Every structure is written in structure tokens, then in C-alpha cells.
Amino acid sequence: MHPDSQRKDVLGKPLRLPCGAVLKNRIAKSSMSDSLGDGEGNATDAQIRLYERWAEGGAAVSMIGEVQFDPRYPEKPGNLVLRDDAGKARFEELTARALVDGAHLWPQIGHAGALSYAPIGPPLGPSSLDVEGLQCRGMSVEQVEELPAAYAAAARRARNAGFSGVHIHAGHGFLLSQFLSPLFNRRTDGYGGSIEGRSRIVLDIVDRVRKAVGPAFPIGIRINASDQLEGGLSEADALAVVKQLDDTSVDLIDISGGTYFPGAKSSSDSTGGGPYFVDFARRARHVTQVPLMVTGGFRGRGQAIHAIESGAADIVGLARSMVLMPELPNVWLSAASRDPVFPRFEKVVPGGITAWYSLRLTALGEDREAEFSMDIPEALETYDARDAERAARWKASFGL
């Protein structure tokens, strides 16, 4: 066998998770906010088609970013909402069409916390904050203690709607990431202080979710390697969280980084190279036996193969690469492999690259990516206008 074929086979090897579920290869479509919901928390035709395309493209698992359980605190008004039986038929259509060819589909369950979309309602975080560009109220002990049951209920609804696993969002500056960060968690009770106190709610949520979904249902979790903020979550504390997760029933630890707090350096708005967090994953490997996924900055097949071969990761998470090439896993697993060509933007403004990729996701879901030709200013204007329209619909739908 040719050496390159042997290396390619590294990506094609199945991964058995601790719960017994099997991911058919080592390439995941990482969670990202697709912002394709209908403004009332329900899946749309474009969103259903998008995840069907990623499954057809060979992804072992696709994760839907920013799926909410509390409509008062969404990241964006295009998010999905797992609540009661509302929208269940659309979720069932989504899972039926995206669970093909052995692919998995997991919702990334989260709460935006201090980063909740302000036009919908006042943000709520671990501690009250009043800094430039960001204000939020602090949670009471009772509100914190309600979180495990809320995450568990959402996970149960996800399982009942046909999803094949769930992904808990504890990264990128959203609520659970805020609890882990000493910069934004200033609590003096049992949910603050040391990293053990700051991670307590995360561990409680994992425990309740496992009890809700049973022993054979996959549970993943995303955490930051670093907030990339002075005074935020350090790599040492992040490693301590990984070590604590080793004692839980999680099946996959997804390592990413950065935050969307105003003025913070964001990995997702970067135009630079990667991968970003492989070195941290290599250190994390020494403190956990839970399978590790590394997300962020993978642009070529060689980088993905190296991450797996080196032992740093068990599976790689691709986001923007698969927005550019939804068939990328199948391409990388073929003999005639090629890598995606990333666009070059003449003018970059805050949030602009995220907006451009989000609008390209819409084009993918509508099977018209060949016609997509927006520049950054046009994408940002369209993206913001769409959010504003959906926010009004969201507030009316949820009585906010």
C-alpha cells in the first residue's frame, strides 16, 4: 500500500465512544451558529438540507451550533429551541434526513448567558457585569441550581426527536464558559472561586444529562483551551477541567478556544493559519482517557492526519472548511484528495467574516452556492438585517 494511502486510512478508521456508539471516521462537522432557524426556534427547509448535505459529504458527526433550551437567552434569533413538543415534527424531519450513511447528528445545547442577544431581552450571566459593550444581570443560586434539570430536559427532547447524541456548549464565552472563567465568574458561593467551584455547575449538568438520556447515548462537551483574554480561563485551569471530566460519563471532549465578548480576540474571525489547539490537546491527553476532538484552523488533510497520528486528537472538527466544501470528508478519504481554497478578503471588519460564512451556509442549504458572490460589507448588512427581522418574530412567538 502506498504510504499516502496508509496515512489517509488514519482518517477513515472508526472511533468507538465510551458509551458504545461508533463514529464512522475521524472527521466531524464542528458546531457553528448556522443561524438558519425560522425565528421561532424551528428548523427550516434550508437548515434540513444543509445537514443532509454534510451527511452525504461523509462527516462522521455533524453538530448543530447554538441550540437553546430557554428562549429568553439565545445567542441569535436564528437559533433552534428544544422546548416541550413545539417544532418536534421539523426536528424529526431534520434528523431523518441528516442521519444517513452512518452519520451522527448532535445538537449543541447551550445558553448564551451574558452574550444573550440583547434586543430579545436583558442578558443573564454568572455574575453581574457592567463593562464597555457588555452588561448583564447575575444569576441567583436558585437560577444556577435550575440549570442541570433544564439541560437534561433539552437532551431528553433531543433524543426523543431522533438526534443520535448531544453536545454541551461550555466554550466560546457562552454561559458555562463564563462560569469557568474567573474574569466573568466573580461569585463567592460554591459556584465560584477555585476552578473546582467554577466547574461545579458543568459537572452537575453532565451528570443530570447522563441520567436523562441513559448509558448508551453519546454526550459530548466543548470547552476552551483558553479564553484568549487576560484574566480569563487559563490553560492550567482548562487542563484541570479536562481532568475532572475524565471522572464523568462524557464520551467526547471537544477542544476549542476564544470568546465572543466585545473586543476579545476571536478564533472564528481569524484569517490566519492553524490548527489552533493541537498543542493543548496533546497536554490534555495526559490527564484524560476520554476521546478528544480538536476544532479550529484545520485547512488541509495533512494537518488533520498529523493531529490523529500524533495522538493529540481522536477526531478533528471542521467548520469553515466544510462550509467551503461540504463534501470534504469524502474528498479527504479518497485517493484524489484536495484541500479547500479559502477566500481572501480585501476589507475585514468585526463580525464580517462570521457573517460571510453564515450567508454562505444559507446558500449551501438552498443548493445555490455556485451563485454566492457576496463581499464582506454586503454579507454583514444582510446578516444584521436578517437578525433584526427574526428578533421581532422571536419575541412575538415566545411572548417576550
Side-chain angles (χ1 to χ4, degrees):
M1 182 179 291
H2 189 277
D4 190 57
S5 297
Q6 291 179 327
R7 296 191 78 218
K8 176 200 70 178
D9 289 345
V10 170
L11 296 179
K13 185 178 180 181
L15 174 63
R16 180 174 293 276
L17 301 177
C19 68
V22 176
L23 303 182
K24 66 178 182 178
N25 60 49
R26 302 304 178 100
I27 305 172
K29 201 296 295 179
S30 176
S31 53
M32 58 194 308
S33 182
D34 60 52
S35 200
L36 276 174
D38 65 356
E40 298 177 10
N42 305 312
T44 59
D45 290 344
Q47 194 169 41
I48 292 169
R49 174 59 180 147
L50 176 65
Y51 287 91
E52 180 181 50
R53 289 191 67 177
W54 278 325
E56 292 170 347
V61 56
S62 290
M63 298 166 180
I64 305 179
E66 323 309 342
V67 178
Q68 313 294 308
F69 57 82
D70 189 331
R72 295 173 296 176
Y73 309 109
E75 174 260 349
K76 288 282 188 178
N79 294 162
L80 298 179
V81 183
L82 285 163
R83 67 195 190 285
D84 305 324
D85 289 327
K88 185 179 178 183
R90 293 297 275 169
F91 279 124
E92 290 174 337
E93 184 178 356
L94 169 63
T95 55
R97 287 178 55 184
L99 291 169
V100 296
D101 298 330
H104 281 253
L105 182 66
W106 301 357
Q108 184 185 61
I109 301 172
H111 179 306
L115 293 182
S116 299
Y117 191 66
I120 286 175
L124 181 71
S127 304
S128 60
L129 296 173
D130 187 1
V131 297
E132 184 177 355
L134 183 67
Q135 294 79 38
C136 77
R137 298 166 295 138
M139 301 179 79
S140 68
V141 171
E142 291 74 20
Q143 287 172 317
V144 177
E145 291 175 342
E146 290 169 356
L147 289 173
Y151 276 84
R156 188 182 301 110
R157 290 174 190 136
R159 183 197 61 189
N160 292 344
F163 288 97
S164 60
V166 292
H167 198 231
I168 298 168
H169 200 351
H172 291 180
F174 297 113
L175 182 68
L176 298 185
S177 179
Q178 293 159 29
F179 267 97
L180 294 174
S181 171
L183 194 59
F184 303 103
N185 180 350
R186 304 171 183 176
R187 301 180 70 94
T188 57
D189 57 16
Y191 296 102
S194 68
I195 187 57
E196 288 74 24
R198 286 181 274 126
S199 61
R200 175 183 169 189
I201 189 60
V202 176
L203 303 180
D204 287 350
I205 287 168
V206 170
D207 181 61
R208 286 293 292 272
V209 168
R210 175 56 74 200
K211 290 175 180 175
V213 300
F217 194 74
I219 300 173
I221 186 168
R222 166 170 283 179
I223 67 165
N224 277 2
S226 166
D227 290 344
Q228 300 178 351
L229 282 173
E230 185 177 350
L233 180 73
S234 67
E235 289 196 357
D237 277 356
L239 284 172
V241 176
V242 171
K243 187 173 182 179
Q244 291 178 84
L245 287 169
D246 189 60
D247 292 326
T248 72
S249 62
V250 294
D251 295 289
L252 188 67
I253 300 173
D254 177 11
I255 296 168
S256 188
T259 173
Y260 292 102
F261 278 100
K265 178 183 177 183
S266 173
S267 304
S268 68
D269 237 13
S270 172
T271 57
Y276 306 134
F277 308 110
V278 171
D279 288 342
F280 176 86
R282 194 171 288 111
R283 292 191 288 275
R285 175 67 69 199
H286 296 292
V287 298
T288 185
Q289 296 183 44
V290 176
L292 297 177
M293 173 171 154
V294 180
T295 297
F298 287 97
R299 291 170 172 248
R301 184 173 76 164
Q303 294 172 329
I305 290 173
H306 177 70
I308 305 297
E309 279 187 332
S310 69
D314 295 288
I315 186 168
V316 296
L318 308 179
R320 289 180 175 175
S321 296
M322 287 186 61
V323 179
L324 299 173
M325 286 178 63
E327 73 282 13
L328 188 57
N330 284 340
V331 171
W332 278 1
L333 293 172
S334 72
S337 178
R338 68 186 190 280
D339 295 332
V341 178
F342 283 75
R344 293 181 177 273
F345 301 107
E346 292 183 7
K347 183 180 180 181
V348 177
V349 295
I353 296 177
T354 295
W356 188 91
Y357 277 93
S358 295
L359 269 295
R360 183 172 167 84
L361 284 175
T362 303
L364 285 178
E366 296 173 351
D367 288 294
R368 56 173 183 82
E369 66 270 20
E371 307 164 15
F372 183 74
S373 60
M374 284 188 178
D375 59 16
I376 289 285
E378 182 184 4
L380 190 56
E381 182 180 358
T382 303
Y383 181 72
D384 288 343
R386 185 174 70 174
D387 276 351
E389 185 274 329
R390 285 176 174 165
R393 195 184 313 167
W394 186 285
K395 293 178 74 170
S397 177
F398 295 109
L400 300 174

mmCIF file of all heavy atoms in Angstrom, residues 298-325:
data_model
loop_
_atom_site.group_PDB
_atom_site.id
_atom_site.type_symbol
_atom_site.label_atom_id
_atom_site.label_comp_id
_atom_site.label_asym_id
_atom_site.label_seq_id
_atom_site.Cartn_x
_atom_site.Cartn_y
_atom_site.Cartn_z
ATOM 1 N N PHE A 298 -8.146 23.878 10.951
ATOM 2 C CA PHE A 298 -7.696 22.817 10.035
ATOM 3 C C PHE A 298 -8.045 23.219 8.598
ATOM 4 O O PHE A 298 -9.208 23.389 8.251
ATOM 5 C CB PHE A 298 -8.369 21.484 10.375
ATOM 6 C CG PHE A 298 -7.847 20.851 11.624
ATOM 7 C CD1 PHE A 298 -8.507 21.024 12.835
ATOM 8 C CD2 PHE A 298 -6.687 20.088 11.602
ATOM 9 C CE1 PHE A 298 -8.027 20.437 13.995
ATOM 10 C CE2 PHE A 298 -6.198 19.494 12.762
ATOM 11 C CZ PHE A 298 -6.869 19.676 13.968
ATOM 12 N N ARG A 299 -6.996 23.348 7.773
ATOM 13 C CA ARG A 299 -7.190 23.777 6.391
ATOM 14 C C ARG A 299 -6.747 22.734 5.364
ATOM 15 O O ARG A 299 -7.069 22.869 4.185
ATOM 16 C CB ARG A 299 -6.428 25.081 6.141
ATOM 17 C CG ARG A 299 -7.030 26.274 6.875
ATOM 18 C CD ARG A 299 -6.135 27.498 6.802
ATOM 19 N NE ARG A 299 -6.814 28.663 7.356
ATOM 20 C CZ ARG A 299 -7.211 29.704 6.643
ATOM 21 N NH1 ARG A 299 -6.991 29.737 5.343
ATOM 22 N NH2 ARG A 299 -7.832 30.719 7.211
ATOM 23 N N GLY A 300 -6.001 21.737 5.801
ATOM 24 C CA GLY A 300 -5.504 20.738 4.871
ATOM 25 C C GLY A 300 -5.566 19.341 5.451
ATOM 26 O O GLY A 300 -5.526 19.151 6.679
ATOM 27 N N ARG A 301 -5.641 18.336 4.567
ATOM 28 C CA ARG A 301 -5.726 16.950 5.016
ATOM 29 C C ARG A 301 -4.497 16.553 5.823
ATOM 30 O O ARG A 301 -4.617 15.828 6.825
ATOM 31 C CB ARG A 301 -5.886 16.016 3.817
ATOM 32 C CG ARG A 301 -6.073 14.564 4.230
ATOM 33 C CD ARG A 301 -6.393 13.655 3.061
ATOM 34 N NE ARG A 301 -5.216 13.364 2.246
ATOM 35 C CZ ARG A 301 -5.155 12.359 1.365
ATOM 36 N NH1 ARG A 301 -6.210 11.579 1.181
ATOM 37 N NH2 ARG A 301 -4.067 12.151 0.653
ATOM 38 N N GLY A 302 -3.337 17.043 5.435
ATOM 39 C CA GLY A 302 -2.126 16.687 6.156
ATOM 40 C C GLY A 302 -2.173 17.113 7.605
ATOM 41 O O GLY A 302 -1.687 16.397 8.491
ATOM 42 N N GLN A 303 -2.742 18.283 7.869
ATOM 43 C CA GLN A 303 -2.872 18.754 9.249
ATOM 44 C C GLN A 303 -3.779 17.832 10.051
ATOM 45 O O GLN A 303 -3.498 17.512 11.213
ATOM 46 C CB GLN A 303 -3.432 20.173 9.267
ATOM 47 C CG GLN A 303 -2.524 21.228 8.669
ATOM 48 C CD GLN A 303 -3.223 22.570 8.551
ATOM 49 O OE1 GLN A 303 -4.435 22.649 8.363
ATOM 50 N NE2 GLN A 303 -2.444 23.641 8.656
ATOM 51 N N ALA A 304 -4.880 17.410 9.443
ATOM 52 C CA ALA A 304 -5.811 16.519 10.140
ATOM 53 C C ALA A 304 -5.164 15.169 10.420
ATOM 54 O O ALA A 304 -5.280 14.624 11.527
ATOM 55 C CB ALA A 304 -7.074 16.340 9.304
ATOM 56 N N ILE A 305 -4.472 14.626 9.434
ATOM 57 C CA ILE A 305 -3.796 13.341 9.628
ATOM 58 C C ILE A 305 -2.757 13.440 10.738
ATOM 59 O O ILE A 305 -2.672 12.556 11.609
ATOM 60 C CB ILE A 305 -3.148 12.886 8.308
ATOM 61 C CG1 ILE A 305 -4.213 12.482 7.303
ATOM 62 C CG2 ILE A 305 -2.182 11.723 8.548
ATOM 63 C CD1 ILE A 305 -3.680 12.184 5.912
ATOM 64 N N HIS A 306 -1.985 14.515 10.740
ATOM 65 C CA HIS A 306 -0.944 14.670 11.756
ATOM 66 C C HIS A 306 -1.547 14.740 13.156
ATOM 67 O O HIS A 306 -0.998 14.164 14.106
ATOM 68 C CB HIS A 306 -0.117 15.920 11.481
ATOM 69 C CG HIS A 306 0.934 16.171 12.525
ATOM 70 N ND1 HIS A 306 2.056 15.378 12.662
ATOM 71 C CD2 HIS A 306 1.016 17.116 13.509
ATOM 72 C CE1 HIS A 306 2.783 15.822 13.675
ATOM 73 N NE2 HIS A 306 2.171 16.870 14.200
ATOM 74 N N ALA A 307 -2.669 15.447 13.309
ATOM 75 C CA ALA A 307 -3.298 15.559 14.628
ATOM 76 C C ALA A 307 -3.711 14.192 15.161
ATOM 77 O O ALA A 307 -3.573 13.911 16.360
ATOM 78 C CB ALA A 307 -4.506 16.491 14.554
ATOM 79 N N ILE A 308 -4.207 13.328 14.264
ATOM 80 C CA ILE A 308 -4.606 11.984 14.687
ATOM 81 C C ILE A 308 -3.390 11.090 14.896
ATOM 82 O O ILE A 308 -3.249 10.407 15.921
ATOM 83 C CB ILE A 308 -5.548 11.345 13.645
ATOM 84 C CG1 ILE A 308 -6.768 12.236 13.373
ATOM 85 C CG2 ILE A 308 -5.982 9.955 14.108
ATOM 86 C CD1 ILE A 308 -7.658 12.460 14.549
ATOM 87 N N GLU A 309 -2.473 11.102 13.944
ATOM 88 C CA GLU A 309 -1.285 10.246 14.031
ATOM 89 C C GLU A 309 -0.441 10.556 15.257
ATOM 90 O O GLU A 309 0.141 9.664 15.873
ATOM 91 C CB GLU A 309 -0.416 10.426 12.781
ATOM 92 C CG GLU A 309 -0.864 9.657 11.573
ATOM 93 C CD GLU A 309 0.145 9.755 10.448
ATOM 94 O OE1 GLU A 309 0.870 10.767 10.361
ATOM 95 O OE2 GLU A 309 0.213 8.821 9.634
ATOM 96 N N SER A 310 -0.361 11.838 15.616
ATOM 97 C CA SER A 310 0.481 12.242 16.745
ATOM 98 C C SER A 310 -0.124 11.857 18.083
ATOM 99 O O SER A 310 0.541 11.956 19.124
ATOM 100 C CB SER A 310 0.704 13.756 16.708
ATOM 101 O OG SER A 310 -0.497 14.460 17.000
ATOM 102 N N GLY A 311 -1.397 11.459 18.084
ATOM 103 C CA GLY A 311 -2.064 11.096 19.332
ATOM 104 C C GLY A 311 -2.707 12.267 20.042
ATOM 105 O O GLY A 311 -3.328 12.096 21.093
ATOM 106 N N ALA A 312 -2.590 13.481 19.480
ATOM 107 C CA ALA A 312 -3.184 14.654 20.131
ATOM 108 C C ALA A 312 -4.699 14.603 20.087
ATOM 109 O O ALA A 312 -5.376 15.015 21.034
ATOM 110 C CB ALA A 312 -2.682 15.932 19.460
ATOM 111 N N ALA A 313 -5.251 14.109 18.983
ATOM 112 C CA ALA A 313 -6.697 14.095 18.809
ATOM 113 C C ALA A 313 -7.156 12.718 18.346
ATOM 114 O O ALA A 313 -6.411 11.982 17.693
ATOM 115 C CB ALA A 313 -7.123 15.152 17.791
ATOM 116 N N ASP A 314 -8.408 12.403 18.675
ATOM 117 C CA ASP A 314 -9.030 11.187 18.162
ATOM 118 C C ASP A 314 -9.890 11.496 16.946
ATOM 119 O O ASP A 314 -10.157 10.609 16.128
ATOM 120 C CB ASP A 314 -9.895 10.542 19.251
ATOM 121 C CG ASP A 314 -9.051 10.072 20.422
ATOM 122 O OD1 ASP A 314 -8.330 9.077 20.263
ATOM 123 O OD2 ASP A 314 -9.102 10.721 21.485
ATOM 124 N N ILE A 315 -10.340 12.738 16.837
ATOM 125 C CA ILE A 315 -11.170 13.177 15.727
ATOM 126 C C ILE A 315 -10.959 14.674 15.558
ATOM 127 O O ILE A 315 -10.702 15.380 16.542
ATOM 128 C CB ILE A 315 -12.663 12.825 15.965
ATOM 129 C CG1 ILE A 315 -13.526 13.142 14.742
ATOM 130 C CG2 ILE A 315 -13.195 13.480 17.229
ATOM 131 C CD1 ILE A 315 -14.929 12.536 14.824
ATOM 132 N N VAL A 316 -11.008 15.165 14.326
ATOM 133 C CA VAL A 316 -10.821 16.591 14.083
ATOM 134 C C VAL A 316 -12.157 17.223 13.728
ATOM 135 O O VAL A 316 -12.993 16.617 13.047
ATOM 136 C CB VAL A 316 -9.786 16.862 12.968
ATOM 137 C CG1 VAL A 316 -8.413 16.375 13.383
ATOM 138 C CG2 VAL A 316 -10.208 16.233 11.652
ATOM 139 N N GLY A 317 -12.355 18.449 14.208
ATOM 140 C CA GLY A 317 -13.572 19.188 13.937
ATOM 141 C C GLY A 317 -13.328 20.236 12.866
ATOM 142 O O GLY A 317 -12.428 21.068 13.003
ATOM 143 N N LEU A 318 -14.114 20.195 11.811
ATOM 144 C CA LEU A 318 -14.012 21.151 10.716
ATOM 145 C C LEU A 318 -15.277 21.996 10.669
ATOM 146 O O LEU A 318 -16.380 21.465 10.786
ATOM 147 C CB LEU A 318 -13.849 20.429 9.374
ATOM 148 C CG LEU A 318 -12.738 19.379 9.270
ATOM 149 C CD1 LEU A 318 -12.761 18.754 7.882
ATOM 150 C CD2 LEU A 318 -11.379 19.996 9.563
ATOM 151 N N ALA A 319 -15.114 23.280 10.486
ATOM 152 C CA ALA A 319 -16.273 24.155 10.371
ATOM 153 C C ALA A 319 -16.228 24.889 9.038
ATOM 154 O O ALA A 319 -16.866 24.485 8.073
ATOM 155 C CB ALA A 319 -16.319 25.127 11.552
ATOM 156 N N ARG A 320 -15.404 25.934 8.951
ATOM 157 C CA ARG A 320 -15.385 26.726 7.723
ATOM 158 C C ARG A 320 -14.890 25.929 6.519
ATOM 159 O O ARG A 320 -15.322 26.171 5.402
ATOM 160 C CB ARG A 320 -14.544 27.978 7.942
ATOM 161 C CG ARG A 320 -15.269 28.944 8.877
ATOM 162 C CD ARG A 320 -14.493 30.192 9.131
ATOM 163 N NE ARG A 320 -15.301 31.106 9.931
ATOM 164 C CZ ARG A 320 -14.880 32.260 10.405
ATOM 165 N NH1 ARG A 320 -13.641 32.645 10.167
ATOM 166 N NH2 ARG A 320 -15.679 33.032 11.111
ATOM 167 N N SER A 321 -13.997 24.967 6.755
ATOM 168 C CA SER A 321 -13.555 24.121 5.650
ATOM 169 C C SER A 321 -14.740 23.414 4.999
ATOM 170 O O SER A 321 -14.798 23.257 3.777
ATOM 171 C CB SER A 321 -12.554 23.069 6.152
ATOM 172 O OG SER A 321 -11.380 23.662 6.645
ATOM 173 N N MET A 322 -15.704 23.009 5.822
ATOM 174 C CA MET A 322 -16.857 22.284 5.296
ATOM 175 C C MET A 322 -17.968 23.209 4.844
ATOM 176 O O MET A 322 -18.948 22.753 4.246
ATOM 177 C CB MET A 322 -17.342 21.251 6.316
ATOM 178 C CG MET A 322 -16.388 20.073 6.397
ATOM 179 S SD MET A 322 -16.957 18.727 7.457
ATOM 180 C CE MET A 322 -18.461 18.239 6.643
ATOM 181 N N VAL A 323 -17.842 24.496 5.125
ATOM 182 C CA VAL A 323 -18.735 25.472 4.501
ATOM 183 C C VAL A 323 -18.280 25.705 3.064
ATOM 184 O O VAL A 323 -19.086 25.886 2.153
ATOM 185 C CB VAL A 323 -18.742 26.795 5.292
ATOM 186 C CG1 VAL A 323 -19.656 27.821 4.633
ATOM 187 C CG2 VAL A 323 -19.199 26.556 6.732
ATOM 188 N N LEU A 324 -16.966 25.672 2.872
ATOM 189 C CA LEU A 324 -16.414 25.833 1.533
ATOM 190 C C LEU A 324 -16.557 24.563 0.699
ATOM 191 O O LEU A 324 -16.774 24.622 -0.512
ATOM 192 C CB LEU A 324 -14.941 26.233 1.622
ATOM 193 C CG LEU A 324 -14.659 27.553 2.344
ATOM 194 C CD1 LEU A 324 -13.164 27.751 2.526
ATOM 195 C CD2 LEU A 324 -15.272 28.732 1.599
ATOM 196 N N MET A 325 -16.437 23.402 1.356
ATOM 197 C CA MET A 325 -16.528 22.114 0.661
ATOM 198 C C MET A 325 -17.343 21.144 1.515
ATOM 199 O O MET A 325 -16.793 20.432 2.355
ATOM 200 C CB MET A 325 -15.137 21.526 0.412
ATOM 201 C CG MET A 325 -14.335 22.203 -0.675
ATOM 202 S SD MET A 325 -12.673 21.454 -0.850
ATOM 203 C CE MET A 325 -13.106 19.780 -1.348
#
